[in-house]
Amino acid sequence: MSTVDTNQPLGTPTWLDLAVPDLARAQAFYGAVFGWTFDGGDCLLRGLPVAGLYRGEGRGWTVHLATDDCAATTAAVTAAGGTVLAEPHDVDGRGRAAVLADPTGARFGLWQGRAFPGARLVNEPGTLVRNDLVTTEAPLAREFYRSVFGFTLDANPDLPGADFTFLRRPDGHEIGGIFGVASAPASAWATTFEVADTQASAEKFATAGGTVTRGRRHPLRLYGHRHGPVRHGVHDDRAPLNSIAERAAGR
């Protein structure tokens, strides 16, 4: 479990939100699956914000990476070949945000916290535990994120048959990874939520109307097979790139 009270270092996944056409339906779904309650656009766990839901049209969860200067990081994104989808803007006095796409087309956000640092709980059941970029253009993605955020790029010798790269901040903290997947239909950041029991949570997803990709060769499932916790890719009709992870014993 991690409680977050301050703004995170540059490039750290710090917030995620999802645009949905039917807000009440989405709240019922995620309330049933993760036990979330809701306050305006915030999804709460034990009264603390862990994600956002709002009415709109989108293509899945948008992960927001931390920055202490939204405008400067947006400029670095465009200089490295990225695209601005929503210019830096104030968000209700909480902070500043921007929405961008990397050169592979993967969408992500920036968050410069002021009164609001982002997700207040992470790395526990019902919260964000990791993000991974799935793309057909891994070399291009690696260079982009190294250039903009200063990430180090480390291969994983435990996955000799996979094109996987760890992304780590300069202080060595792992923030996610990049999967090169030739068959990926589009480049996208995939979100993994921690759960206490993957089997029980997958059943909750199915009962609530979601889909479980159990048994398919999902890149995040491959990661979990070699490294412990990830058992299932799961999605509903609004967020097609989710996975759930159960923490391995002793971690």
Side-chain angles (χ1 to χ4, degrees):
M1 178 183 74
S2 298
T3 302
V4 179
D5 296 316
T6 60
N7 293 337
Q8 297 299 292
L10 178 67
T12 307
T14 196
W15 184 242
L16 67 158
D17 55 31
L18 177 65
V20 294
D22 187 335
L23 185 58
R25 181 182 174 211
Q27 289 175 339
F29 178 86
Y30 286 103
V33 171
F34 292 134
W36 290 348
T37 57
F38 305 92
D39 180 16
D42 290 343
C43 309
L44 309 179
L45 186 67
R46 301 199 308 279
L48 295 176
V50 295
L53 281 177
Y54 63 96
R55 185 173 288 105
E57 298 295 331
R59 295 180 297 174
W61 288 98
T62 298
V63 60
H64 294 258
L65 306 180
T67 176
D68 60 5
D69 189 329
C70 197
T73 305
T74 297
V77 165
T78 58
T83 304
V84 178
L85 304 179
E87 294 282 353
H89 57 277
D90 291 330
V91 182
D92 300 327
R94 290 178 149 197
R96 287 179 60 77
V99 181
L100 310 145
D102 69 27
T104 76
R107 175 188 175 100
F108 67 97
L110 297 175
W111 181 253
Q112 178 185 349
R114 289 178 175 166
F116 183 74
R120 296 289 311 284
L121 294 174
V122 295
N123 301 329
E124 68 167 274
T127 72
L128 173 68
V129 69
R130 70 175 292 118
N131 295 94
D132 293 278
L133 175 64
V134 180
T135 179
T136 60
E137 301 178 272
L140 181 61
R142 287 192 287 264
E143 177 55 27
F144 171 81
Y145 288 99
R146 183 204 62 77
S147 173
V148 173
F149 296 104
F151 294 149
T152 60
L153 308 172
D154 298 309
N156 189 340
D158 293 330
L159 291 175
D163 181 0
F164 178 77
T165 304
F166 286 113
L167 297 176
R168 293 190 171 94
R169 296 185 320 220
D171 64 3
H173 180 83
E174 180 189 336
I175 67 93
I178 296 175
F179 277 101
V181 180
S183 60
S187 296
W189 278 95
T191 295
T192 301
F193 295 97
E194 184 169 330
V195 296
D197 184 317
T198 51
Q199 183 62 42
S201 295
E203 291 171 0
K204 284 183 182 179
F205 257 81
T207 299
T211 301
V212 179
T213 60
R214 182 169 28 208
R216 299 181 188 178
R217 191 173 177 79
H218 187 282
L220 298 182
R221 190 171 180 275
L222 173 63
Y223 175 90
H225 174 71
R226 295 299 185 98
H227 287 84
V230 179
R231 304 287 191 232
H232 302 302
V234 293
H235 64 86
D236 62 75
D237 58 5
R238 294 159 296 281
L241 281 172
N242 286 338
S243 287
I244 54 176
E246 176 184 335
R247 191 171 296 275
R251 290 191 176 185

